[in-house]
């Protein structure tokens, strides 16, 4: 680790401000961003269009330092999972899911998670800290590197989902800068619908996200009444269903019909009855949305099991008949524990969670 400023912590605007501060022109910042994200170059001597003077000034005061990959696992279905070391105590996981028409990178935003959703293995290990912008955007950079994209010029990562470890909207400032880089043509240049922020429902930040970005939103709903949602997604006690759905409506105003995706994990005997499906239809009235049913992925220590296929299909049929576009998400990377809710990484200490929980949120 180093005390030098890590340029990966800046989006374009803040990097321009930094260059201004050190007495350089803002277009130099743009050149540096292009080197990093278009060419995969993070060593100053290779940045040949910068003056020697500027390069040595940058060398002296700054670094361009993504986190490091410690291990890589490959699933039979082509999914790849990387364990990413952030510092000597903390690591997170990043997952690449190739499909015929796209490649999705699932990135983490926190070490562990403070939200304590009962069916998620990340929750079990507690929360340690927020990722910095360099650690968030760095996952995308090192995935591109590992996939050979900088060299080949092939765009294998076409979609980004904030569905790895952590609650992205509890790390708003850093996630926002990472989103800016993901959607900036000088950096990764992804279209807004190809970047999805998934949240358990931190309402004030959903409103901010609408004001600040054009990205898509996914809501981890998982229940269609407050009593059940309070028990499996405890943040619901602070941000109850009706308020959350109203926030989704605000978010979708003036956007494409599919700007909001509703995620619903299928838990055997818990939230998967016909009545649950009907209640969900009622909840979603007036909200342009599509639903992703996620088969529950097991992990050590959980008592939950996944609903059987017939139950999932019956649930889906009720939604579809009500005119709600619904898909059952394919489980990918299960053999390497890379599926939704199975990511663990490494948290410094389980006790840290209790010290660092966001006061009053849970
Ligand atoms: N904190 C964010 C990102 C979490 S992970 C959020 O809550 O949306 C992305 C999705 O995986 C969420 O919908 C989450 O609820 C779901 N998930 C968590 N554990 C799961 C499990 N064991 N099986 C299936 N999906 C799970």
């Amino acid at each position: 680790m180093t005390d030098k400023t890590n340029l990966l912590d800046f989006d374009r605007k803040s990097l321009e401000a930094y260059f201004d501060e050190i007495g350089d022109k803002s277009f130099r910042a743009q050149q540096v961003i292009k080197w990093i994200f278009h060419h995969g170059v993070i060593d100053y001597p290779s940045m040949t269009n910068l003056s020697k003077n500027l390069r040595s000034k940058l060398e002296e005061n700054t670094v361009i330092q993504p986190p490091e990959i410690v291990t890589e696992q490959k699933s039979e279905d082509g999914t790849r999972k990387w364990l990413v070391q952030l510092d000597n105590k903390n690591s997170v996981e990043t997952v690449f899911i190739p499909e015929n028409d796209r490649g999705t990178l699932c990135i983490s935003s926190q070490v562990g998670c403070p939200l304590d959703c009962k069916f998620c293995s990340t929750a079990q290990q507690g929360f340690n800290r927020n990722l910095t912008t360099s650690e968030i955007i760095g996952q995308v950079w090192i995935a591109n590197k590992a996939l050979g994209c900088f060299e080949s010029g092939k765009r294998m990562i076409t979609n980004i989902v904030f569905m790895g470890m952590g609650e992205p909207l509890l790390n708003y400032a850093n996630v926002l800068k990472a989103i800016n880089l993901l959607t900036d043509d000088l950096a990764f240049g992804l279209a807004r619908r190809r970047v999805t922020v998934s949240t358990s429902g931190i309402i004030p930040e959903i409103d901010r996200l609408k004001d600040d970005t054009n990205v898509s939103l996914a809501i981890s709903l998982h229940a269609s009444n407050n009593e059940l949602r309070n028990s499996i997604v405890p943040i619901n006690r602070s941000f109850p269903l009706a308020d959350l759905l109203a926030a989704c409506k605000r978010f979708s105003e003036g956007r494409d019909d599919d700007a909001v995706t509703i995620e619903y994990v299928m838990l055997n005997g818990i939230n998967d009855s016909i009545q649950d499906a009907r209640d969900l239809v009622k909840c979603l009235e007036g909200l342009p949305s599509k639903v992703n049913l996620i088969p529950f992925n097991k992990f050590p220590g959980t008592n939950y099991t996944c609903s059987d296929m017939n139950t999932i299909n019956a649930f889906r049929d009720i939604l579809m008949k009500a005119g709600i576009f619904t898909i059952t998400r394919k489980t990918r990377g299960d053999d390497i524990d890379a599926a939704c809710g199975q990511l663990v990484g490494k948290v410094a200490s389980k006790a840290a969670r209790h010290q660092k929980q966001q006061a009053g949120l849970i």
Side-chain angles (χ1 to χ4, degrees), residues 17-30:
Y18 178 77
F19 271 62
D20 196 42
E21 214 180 281
I22 62 170
D24 243 285
K25 303 244 166 24
S26 64
F27 78 91
R28 296 289 175 209
Q30 297 170 15

Side-chain angles (χ1 to χ4, degrees), residues 106-107 109-110 113 115 117-122 162-169 197-201 218-222 229 233 263-267 294-299 302 329 339-343:
C106 178
I107 59 177
S109 56
Q110 296 185 311
C113 185
L115 289 187
C117 298
K118 300 304 174 197
F119 46 81
C120 180
S121 72
T122 305
F162 282 84
M163 293 184 189
M165 301 170 63
E167 168 50 54
L169 295 189
V197 172
S198 179
T199 178
S200 295
I219 299 288
S220 295
L221 206 69
H222 307 316
R229 196 162 192 270
V233 183
E263 297 167 281
Y264 197 99
V265 63
M266 296 302 292
L267 299 168
I294 315 174
F296 170 68
N297 296 305
K298 60 192 174 335
F299 52 89
T302 182
R329 197 182 279 170
C340 292
Q342 292 185 323
L343 303 186

